[in-house]
Amino acid sequence: MVRRRCYTKLEKKVPVKTLLDESQLNNGVEKLAQSINETYGDRPLTIVGVLTGSVVLMADLIRKLKMPLRVGVVQTSSYQGTERGALTINSDMMLDITDRDVLLIDDIFDTGHTLQEVRDLMQRLGPTSLKSAVLLCKTGCQKVDWMPEFVAFDIPDEFVVGYGLDYNGEYRNLPFLACLEPEDLGEA
Ligand code: 5GP
Ligand code: MG
């Protein structure tokens, strides 16, 4: 495992442990896109990204998808630092999904509660089909009885940042995925 030091825009030293480097992420997203392309073929697809953590994945993934595509977003927020708070969902910017094939995109599947709530909300709107794709799945942490149909990487149960994922609003711009060391939590 490579350890590297990087610097935030505030020039604060941020020691982080790299879990997936840029090339591994790129390969994982490429494979994810291939599976999605194979599953849907030429059928028009409506992507709904879960803000804010999915923005980097969305930008990379949608450019590799070949079917006619519409892109909408919903916003959820639940974490304060590394602690989970009450989940809120804002669906004002979601597209019409009734009678559409819909693919929900999120950064990480941890307990699964976030995607489950978004999925339940969307299911009530009557899509033709509704599947989920995530960059990361935390092994053994799920508290729901289903899994996303598309998963790029299974990772250990550590708090990760980078490639869209944040800690208190920072680190989303790291081009690689990193674990925050326990001693760094609270310093962001
Ligand atoms: P779940 O509801 O599946 O437990 O958690 C999903 C959401 O929690 C993700 O969309 C993400 O925003 C956040 N989350 C879960 N684990 C992590 C993590 O290790 N790092 C970060 N930055 N966010 C996480
Ligand atoms: Mg999220």
Side-chain angles (χ1 to χ4, degrees), residues 27-113:
N27 289 341
V29 175
E30 186 65 50
K31 285 190 186 141
L32 196 64
Q34 269 174 23
S35 308
I36 295 168
N37 281 326
E38 280 165 19
T39 299
Y40 292 95
D42 292 335
R43 275 154 56 202
L45 183 64
T46 300
I47 293 263
V48 178
V50 180
L51 296 178
T52 308
S54 71
V55 288
V56 180
L57 171 63
M58 290 265 283
D60 285 348
L61 180 67
I62 62 175
R63 286 176 290 169
K64 298 178 193 296
L65 297 180
K66 300 187 188 337
M67 69 289 288
L69 200 71
R70 301 188 311 153
V71 180
V73 291
V74 291
Q75 181 157 34
T76 67
S77 63
S78 63
Y79 269 80
Q80 300 287 325
T82 60
E83 299 299 318
R84 176 180 308 285
L87 181 72
T88 57
I89 303 176
N90 179 345
S91 56
D92 291 353
M93 289 181 287
M94 199 170 81
L95 298 170
D96 170 29
I97 60 165
T98 306
D99 298 330
R100 306 270 187 172
D101 286 314
V102 177
L103 182 63
L104 190 54
I105 308 271
D106 204 0
D107 50 3
I108 185 165
F109 199 71
D110 182 6
T111 63
H113 288 311

Side-chain angles (χ1 to χ4, degrees), residues 4 18-19 28 37 47 58-59 63 72 81-82 88 93 111 116 128 133 142 149 153 156 177:
R4 40 171 125 168
T18 302
L19 191 62
N37 281 326
I47 293 263
M58 290 265 283
R63 286 176 290 169
T82 60
T88 57
M93 289 181 287
T111 63
Q116 175 146 308
T128 304
Q142 286 68 56
E149 287 78 3
F153 298 99
L177 188 83

